[in-house]
Amino acid sequence: IYKSLTGEVAYHIESKYEEGFVNWCFHPTRTELAVFDRFGSARVYDYTKQTELSFTQMQFDNTTYGTANVPQNPFYITNDRILFNTTDEIGELNLSKSTFRVLKEIGNDEISYFRYDHSDNDIYMATQEGLVQILDGNTFGVEFELSIPNININGLYRNPDKGHVVLHSHSGMVRIYDEKSREALLTLYNLPGAKSPVMVDQNSYYAIPKQFVGDVYFSLGEEVYFFDQFDLLLNRPDKIETIIDPSNTSKIKLYKEAWKKRVRKMGFEPENLETNYLLEAPELELLTADTDLAMKSEKFEVSLNADDNNYLLSKIHVKINGVPIYGVKGKSIESLKTKRLAGYKLDVALSP
């Protein structure tokens, strides 16, 4: 045991046994260290006196102790009780009685994350198949449960003040759930080089560092749709902040006013976008065949179909290398007063 500031050895324990320690935990207030070996033995030492205080031999269902039963993630839950998990079970060690019992069996699944929290006396657990549970540390009853397949969880926390449950994955993803409804409120993704994460709520509203807007996408089956296609409607830091800290009304108002200013600059009214967000977006089909990236002509003719089931078509936006050739407001087609375009042609000017 080392001193945290100097790195010097503060205490040293050398066991006379040769089983090999695999896991250990410290008592939260006393100078005790509980160690577990790969053969199912549990020993408790007073590390200041270098003396052994107790010994317990564990057994699982009267079967031979094996590698699947090796105690992992042990935690003191009282002065004489230690809680831990094995591959597929939660066990409790009673030091005063030198006894062991299995509290919960997972079945055909395997525990991938396990933690006991002294502050709320709860057990936080996740399995490889995506089962997420928060258990009462006294009764071991389930207080919160989710099934989230294909996410390798390495962090699980509860925020009782906000009524949130937060999980963290090995990939760097963080997801916030409403504890009562079990609904996913917000998902955060860390991008290399970004000072802040990409944040997406349950309605697909997002907040993203400006330089990454063209690098992140939604997926639907094998199709991908980059965020910049939805930037006008869905880039809403004000809605994201409402989830993170609804009490910060000044910051939320600042974000919303910035969005309104950006929308008006592009020729739209914020009220219309707020009202019609859930309606179907127009569909556009590019009829022009693929062509070479290098061309000799100064213009390029584009042919397209466009369709909107609900409203008259208003504008067409075209970008070349990220630059809008008709300006931020696009090319107005309001005078056509139509919901559909068939074979509509545009002459796109090219730059040398």
Side-chain angles (χ1 to χ4, degrees):
I1 303 172
Y2 294 89
K3 294 180 179 180
S4 59
L5 296 179
T6 65
E8 298 175 290
V9 175
Y11 302 103
H12 172 77
I13 298 174
E14 185 172 348
S15 173
K16 61 183 178 181
Y17 310 102
E18 298 181 355
E19 292 88 345
F21 295 148
V22 292
N23 275 301
W24 56 88
C25 63
F26 289 93
H27 192 282
T29 58
R30 300 197 300 234
T31 58
E32 293 180 9
L33 172 67
V35 295
F36 301 83
D37 64 37
R38 55 193 173 90
F39 295 112
S41 298
R43 290 181 171 85
V44 178
Y45 295 89
D46 184 322
Y47 55 81
T48 61
K49 299 177 181 179
Q50 299 186 19
T51 56
E52 183 176 315
L53 302 177
S54 68
F55 167 81
T56 304
Q57 180 65 49
M58 291 177 286
Q59 190 175 17
F60 289 75
D61 298 332
N62 297 317
T63 60
T64 303
Y65 190 87
T67 55
N69 306 125
V70 173
Q72 305 170 32
N73 308 302
F75 295 91
Y76 271 92
I77 56 175
T78 63
N79 283 339
D80 61 353
R81 293 166 59 213
I82 293 177
L83 197 69
F84 60 87
N85 72 287
T86 64
T87 301
D88 58 0
E89 294 174 324
I90 297 176
E92 181 192 65
L93 184 66
N94 190 310
L95 301 175
S96 62
K97 298 179 180 179
S98 296
T99 57
F100 161 78
R101 62 174 178 153
V102 174
L103 300 174
K104 187 177 180 67
E105 296 182 0
I106 307 304
N108 296 324
D109 205 348
E110 293 186 9
I111 298 173
S112 58
Y113 176 82
F114 183 85
R115 180 176 67 88
Y116 174 78
D117 194 320
H118 285 276
S119 65
D120 57 13
N121 191 33
D122 282 336
I123 302 166
Y124 295 78
M125 183 189 72
T127 70
Q128 289 188 355
E129 297 295 327
L131 176 66
V132 176
Q133 288 185 333
I134 301 177
L135 309 174
D136 183 278
N138 291 322
T139 65
F140 307 104
V142 177
E143 297 180 343
F144 178 85
E145 181 173 287
L146 278 176
S147 180
I148 316 172
N150 304 319
I151 296 181
N152 194 353
I153 295 170
N154 65 350
L156 182 61
Y157 311 92
R158 170 190 269 160
N159 186 333
D161 295 334
K162 295 184 177 181
H164 292 167
V165 171
V166 182
L167 64 84
H168 186 280
S169 75
H170 282 281
S171 65
M173 182 204 75
V174 177
R175 184 166 291 164
I176 301 173
Y177 289 86
D178 181 274
E179 185 171 359
K180 290 184 178 180
S181 68
R182 279 36 174 188
E183 181 181 18
L185 301 177
L186 189 66
T187 304
L188 296 84
Y189 303 92
N190 292 308
L191 299 180
K195 294 182 179 180
S196 59
V198 176
M199 295 177 279
V200 186
D201 75 2
Q202 73 272 34
N203 294 315
S204 298
Y205 288 116
Y206 59 80
I208 182 173
K210 186 176 180 181
Q211 68 270 32
F212 291 99
V213 170
D215 299 328
V216 185
Y217 57 85
F218 297 108
S219 63
L220 181 63
E222 296 181 356
E223 300 291 332
V224 296
Y225 303 91
F226 284 91
F227 271 27
D228 58 356
Q229 297 181 64
F230 310 94
D231 204 50
L232 188 66
L233 287 174
L234 301 183
N235 192 347
R236 297 294 301 275
D238 57 307
K239 292 185 177 292
I240 301 301
E241 187 64 27
T242 301
I243 298 173
I244 297 174
D245 186 6
S247 65
N248 196 345
T249 55
S250 59
K251 190 174 184 179
I252 295 171
K253 182 178 179 181
L254 183 67
Y255 281 148
K256 188 163 186 177
E257 291 303 317
W259 172 75
K260 288 180 177 181
K261 182 178 179 180
R262 180 162 56 92
V263 165
R264 291 192 178 106
K265 186 177 179 181
M266 297 185 69
F268 296 92
E269 285 300 320
E271 293 74 15
N272 293 337
L273 294 180
E274 289 269 30
T275 304
N276 300 327
Y277 159 59
L278 294 177
L279 298 178
E280 291 184 28
E283 294 183 5
L284 185 143
E285 178 187 7
L286 190 63
L287 302 177
T288 305
D290 293 339
T291 187
D292 295 332
L293 293 177
M295 303 181 65
K296 295 182 179 180
S297 60
E298 295 181 355
K299 290 186 178 182
F300 177 57
E301 186 178 80
V302 176
S303 180
L304 56 87
N305 291 339
D307 181 79
D308 191 308
N309 291 328
N310 301 293
Y311 297 95
L312 298 177
L313 296 169
S314 174
K315 300 177 177 67
I316 295 178
H317 292 267
V318 180
K319 290 183 179 180
I320 297 180
N321 297 328
V323 179
I325 64 171
Y326 297 120
V328 293
K329 294 185 178 181
K331 177 182 175 64
S332 175
I333 54 172
E334 289 182 350
S335 61
L336 299 179
K337 296 181 179 181
T338 182
K339 294 181 180 180
R340 293 173 179 80
L341 295 176
Y344 187 83
K345 290 181 173 52
L346 291 171
D347 285 329
V348 178
L350 304 176
S351 300

PDB file of all heavy atoms in Angstrom, residues 329-346:
ATOM      1  N   LYS A 329     -30.262  31.709 -48.311  1.00  0.00           N
ATOM      2  CA  LYS A 329     -31.717  31.600 -48.429  1.00  0.00           C
ATOM      3  C   LYS A 329     -32.155  30.672 -49.554  1.00  0.00           C
ATOM      4  O   LYS A 329     -33.334  30.343 -49.666  1.00  0.00           O
ATOM      5  CB  LYS A 329     -32.337  32.983 -48.635  1.00  0.00           C
ATOM      6  CG  LYS A 329     -32.177  33.899 -47.427  1.00  0.00           C
ATOM      7  CD  LYS A 329     -32.913  35.208 -47.623  1.00  0.00           C
ATOM      8  CE  LYS A 329     -32.794  36.107 -46.404  1.00  0.00           C
ATOM      9  NZ  LYS A 329     -33.527  37.377 -46.557  1.00  0.00           N
ATOM     10  N   GLY A 330     -31.227  30.243 -50.423  1.00  0.00           N
ATOM     11  CA  GLY A 330     -31.562  29.321 -51.493  1.00  0.00           C
ATOM     12  C   GLY A 330     -32.250  30.000 -52.674  1.00  0.00           C
ATOM     13  O   GLY A 330     -32.472  31.212 -52.694  1.00  0.00           O
ATOM     14  N   LYS A 331     -32.614  29.197 -53.674  1.00  0.00           N
ATOM     15  CA  LYS A 331     -33.297  29.670 -54.884  1.00  0.00           C
ATOM     16  C   LYS A 331     -34.801  29.562 -54.674  1.00  0.00           C
ATOM     17  O   LYS A 331     -35.333  28.475 -54.434  1.00  0.00           O
ATOM     18  CB  LYS A 331     -32.873  28.834 -56.088  1.00  0.00           C
ATOM     19  CG  LYS A 331     -33.581  29.187 -57.388  1.00  0.00           C
ATOM     20  CD  LYS A 331     -33.131  28.273 -58.499  1.00  0.00           C
ATOM     21  CE  LYS A 331     -33.918  28.519 -59.775  1.00  0.00           C
ATOM     22  NZ  LYS A 331     -33.711  29.866 -60.324  1.00  0.00           N
ATOM     23  N   SER A 332     -35.502  30.665 -54.746  1.00  0.00           N
ATOM     24  CA  SER A 332     -36.941  30.670 -54.506  1.00  0.00           C
ATOM     25  C   SER A 332     -37.696  30.070 -55.689  1.00  0.00           C
ATOM     26  O   SER A 332     -37.443  30.407 -56.843  1.00  0.00           O
ATOM     27  CB  SER A 332     -37.433  32.098 -54.267  1.00  0.00           C
ATOM     28  OG  SER A 332     -38.849  32.114 -54.141  1.00  0.00           O
ATOM     29  N   ILE A 333     -38.635  29.160 -55.388  1.00  0.00           N
ATOM     30  CA  ILE A 333     -39.524  28.608 -56.409  1.00  0.00           C
ATOM     31  C   ILE A 333     -40.981  28.773 -55.960  1.00  0.00           C
ATOM     32  O   ILE A 333     -41.870  28.055 -56.421  1.00  0.00           O
ATOM     33  CB  ILE A 333     -39.210  27.117 -56.677  1.00  0.00           C
ATOM     34  CG1 ILE A 333     -39.245  26.309 -55.379  1.00  0.00           C
ATOM     35  CG2 ILE A 333     -37.869  26.945 -57.372  1.00  0.00           C
ATOM     36  CD1 ILE A 333     -39.132  24.811 -55.599  1.00  0.00           C
ATOM     37  N   GLU A 334     -41.223  29.735 -55.084  1.00  0.00           N
ATOM     38  CA  GLU A 334     -42.566  29.969 -54.567  1.00  0.00           C
ATOM     39  C   GLU A 334     -43.545  30.341 -55.674  1.00  0.00           C
ATOM     40  O   GLU A 334     -44.738  30.016 -55.593  1.00  0.00           O
ATOM     41  CB  GLU A 334     -42.526  31.065 -53.507  1.00  0.00           C
ATOM     42  CG  GLU A 334     -41.862  30.642 -52.206  1.00  0.00           C
ATOM     43  CD  GLU A 334     -41.903  31.744 -51.172  1.00  0.00           C
ATOM     44  OE1 GLU A 334     -42.280  32.889 -51.540  1.00  0.00           O
ATOM     45  OE2 GLU A 334     -41.563  31.495 -50.009  1.00  0.00           O
ATOM     46  N   SER A 335     -43.035  31.028 -56.712  1.00  0.00           N
ATOM     47  CA  SER A 335     -43.925  31.477 -57.793  1.00  0.00           C
ATOM     48  C   SER A 335     -44.533  30.313 -58.564  1.00  0.00           C
ATOM     49  O   SER A 335     -45.568  30.463 -59.224  1.00  0.00           O
ATOM     50  CB  SER A 335     -43.150  32.382 -58.758  1.00  0.00           C
ATOM     51  OG  SER A 335     -42.067  31.672 -59.346  1.00  0.00           O
ATOM     52  N   LEU A 336     -43.923  29.118 -58.496  1.00  0.00           N
ATOM     53  CA  LEU A 336     -44.459  27.960 -59.198  1.00  0.00           C
ATOM     54  C   LEU A 336     -45.720  27.416 -58.529  1.00  0.00           C
ATOM     55  O   LEU A 336     -46.517  26.724 -59.168  1.00  0.00           O
ATOM     56  CB  LEU A 336     -43.399  26.848 -59.272  1.00  0.00           C
ATOM     57  CG  LEU A 336     -42.102  27.206 -60.017  1.00  0.00           C
ATOM     58  CD1 LEU A 336     -41.135  26.027 -59.981  1.00  0.00           C
ATOM     59  CD2 LEU A 336     -42.391  27.601 -61.460  1.00  0.00           C
ATOM     60  N   LYS A 337     -45.889  27.706 -57.240  1.00  0.00           N
ATOM     61  CA  LYS A 337     -47.069  27.292 -56.487  1.00  0.00           C
ATOM     62  C   LYS A 337     -47.421  25.821 -56.732  1.00  0.00           C
ATOM     63  O   LYS A 337     -48.513  25.461 -57.158  1.00  0.00           O
ATOM     64  CB  LYS A 337     -48.259  28.179 -56.833  1.00  0.00           C
ATOM     65  CG  LYS A 337     -48.060  29.638 -56.434  1.00  0.00           C
ATOM     66  CD  LYS A 337     -49.273  30.481 -56.763  1.00  0.00           C
ATOM     67  CE  LYS A 337     -49.051  31.930 -56.329  1.00  0.00           C
ATOM     68  NZ  LYS A 337     -50.229  32.788 -56.614  1.00  0.00           N
ATOM     69  N   THR A 338     -46.462  24.978 -56.415  1.00  0.00           N
ATOM     70  CA  THR A 338     -46.653  23.547 -56.639  1.00  0.00           C
ATOM     71  C   THR A 338     -46.053  22.741 -55.494  1.00  0.00           C
ATOM     72  O   THR A 338     -45.117  23.189 -54.819  1.00  0.00           O
ATOM     73  CB  THR A 338     -46.000  23.105 -57.965  1.00  0.00           C
ATOM     74  OG1 THR A 338     -46.246  21.706 -58.165  1.00  0.00           O
ATOM     75  CG2 THR A 338     -44.502  23.345 -57.955  1.00  0.00           C
ATOM     76  N   LYS A 339     -46.611  21.540 -55.303  1.00  0.00           N
ATOM     77  CA  LYS A 339     -46.051  20.606 -54.328  1.00  0.00           C
ATOM     78  C   LYS A 339     -45.096  19.615 -54.975  1.00  0.00           C
ATOM     79  O   LYS A 339     -44.417  18.865 -54.277  1.00  0.00           O
ATOM     80  CB  LYS A 339     -47.174  19.823 -53.640  1.00  0.00           C
ATOM     81  CG  LYS A 339     -48.098  20.662 -52.778  1.00  0.00           C
ATOM     82  CD  LYS A 339     -49.146  19.763 -52.122  1.00  0.00           C
ATOM     83  CE  LYS A 339     -50.101  20.572 -51.254  1.00  0.00           C
ATOM     84  NZ  LYS A 339     -51.121  19.702 -50.618  1.00  0.00           N
ATOM     85  N   ARG A 340     -45.045  19.625 -56.345  1.00  0.00           N
ATOM     86  CA  ARG A 340     -44.244  18.626 -57.033  1.00  0.00           C
ATOM     87  C   ARG A 340     -43.495  19.241 -58.198  1.00  0.00           C
ATOM     88  O   ARG A 340     -44.022  20.096 -58.917  1.00  0.00           O
ATOM     89  CB  ARG A 340     -45.125  17.474 -57.537  1.00  0.00           C
ATOM     90  CG  ARG A 340     -45.719  16.649 -56.413  1.00  0.00           C
ATOM     91  CD  ARG A 340     -46.723  15.631 -56.910  1.00  0.00           C
ATOM     92  NE  ARG A 340     -47.253  14.835 -55.792  1.00  0.00           N
ATOM     93  CZ  ARG A 340     -48.210  15.252 -54.971  1.00  0.00           C
ATOM     94  NH1 ARG A 340     -48.767  16.449 -55.168  1.00  0.00           N
ATOM     95  NH2 ARG A 340     -48.605  14.487 -53.970  1.00  0.00           N
ATOM     96  N   LEU A 341     -42.262  18.775 -58.358  1.00  0.00           N
ATOM     97  CA  LEU A 341     -41.462  19.124 -59.532  1.00  0.00           C
ATOM     98  C   LEU A 341     -41.066  17.825 -60.224  1.00  0.00           C
ATOM     99  O   LEU A 341     -40.682  16.857 -59.567  1.00  0.00           O
ATOM    100  CB  LEU A 341     -40.194  19.877 -59.129  1.00  0.00           C
ATOM    101  CG  LEU A 341     -40.362  21.264 -58.489  1.00  0.00           C
ATOM    102  CD1 LEU A 341     -39.005  21.814 -58.076  1.00  0.00           C
ATOM    103  CD2 LEU A 341     -41.056  22.222 -59.451  1.00  0.00           C
ATOM    104  N   ALA A 342     -41.165  17.817 -61.567  1.00  0.00           N
ATOM    105  CA  ALA A 342     -40.776  16.643 -62.343  1.00  0.00           C
ATOM    106  C   ALA A 342     -39.810  17.073 -63.432  1.00  0.00           C
ATOM    107  O   ALA A 342     -40.153  17.889 -64.295  1.00  0.00           O
ATOM    108  CB  ALA A 342     -42.003  15.968 -62.953  1.00  0.00           C
ATOM    109  N   GLY A 343     -38.593  16.569 -63.376  1.00  0.00           N
ATOM    110  CA  GLY A 343     -37.585  16.918 -64.378  1.00  0.00           C
ATOM    111  C   GLY A 343     -37.181  18.370 -64.320  1.00  0.00           C
ATOM    112  O   GLY A 343     -36.773  18.946 -65.336  1.00  0.00           O
ATOM    113  N   TYR A 344     -37.239  18.986 -63.164  1.00  0.00           N
ATOM    114  CA  TYR A 344     -36.867  20.400 -63.022  1.00  0.00           C
ATOM    115  C   TYR A 344     -35.359  20.554 -63.236  1.00  0.00           C
ATOM    116  O   TYR A 344     -34.566  19.781 -62.708  1.00  0.00           O
ATOM    117  CB  TYR A 344     -37.237  20.905 -61.627  1.00  0.00           C
ATOM    118  CG  TYR A 344     -37.049  22.377 -61.439  1.00  0.00           C
ATOM    119  CD1 TYR A 344     -38.021  23.268 -61.845  1.00  0.00           C
ATOM    120  CD2 TYR A 344     -35.915  22.875 -60.813  1.00  0.00           C
ATOM    121  CE1 TYR A 344     -37.863  24.636 -61.668  1.00  0.00           C
ATOM    122  CE2 TYR A 344     -35.747  24.231 -60.626  1.00  0.00           C
ATOM    123  CZ  TYR A 344     -36.716  25.118 -61.054  1.00  0.00           C
ATOM    124  OH  TYR A 344     -36.552  26.471 -60.872  1.00  0.00           O
ATOM    125  N   LYS A 345     -34.983  21.558 -64.050  1.00  0.00           N
ATOM    126  CA  LYS A 345     -33.572  21.729 -64.434  1.00  0.00           C
ATOM    127  C   LYS A 345     -32.991  22.990 -63.797  1.00  0.00           C
ATOM    128  O   LYS A 345     -33.627  24.033 -63.734  1.00  0.00           O
ATOM    129  CB  LYS A 345     -33.447  21.781 -65.951  1.00  0.00           C
ATOM    130  CG  LYS A 345     -33.729  20.432 -66.613  1.00  0.00           C
ATOM    131  CD  LYS A 345     -33.585  20.512 -68.110  1.00  0.00           C
ATOM    132  CE  LYS A 345     -33.687  19.141 -68.752  1.00  0.00           C
ATOM    133  NZ  LYS A 345     -34.885  18.389 -68.351  1.00  0.00           N
ATOM    134  N   LEU A 346     -31.753  22.831 -63.348  1.00  0.00           N
ATOM    135  CA  LEU A 346     -30.984  23.946 -62.784  1.00  0.00           C
ATOM    136  C   LEU A 346     -29.656  24.049 -63.505  1.00  0.00           C
ATOM    137  O   LEU A 346     -29.009  23.032 -63.757  1.00  0.00           O
ATOM    138  CB  LEU A 346     -30.714  23.728 -61.284  1.00  0.00           C
ATOM    139  CG  LEU A 346     -31.880  23.801 -60.306  1.00  0.00           C
ATOM    140  CD1 LEU A 346     -31.406  23.335 -58.933  1.00  0.00           C
ATOM    141  CD2 LEU A 346     -32.391  25.231 -60.220  1.00  0.00           C
TER     142      LEU A 346
END
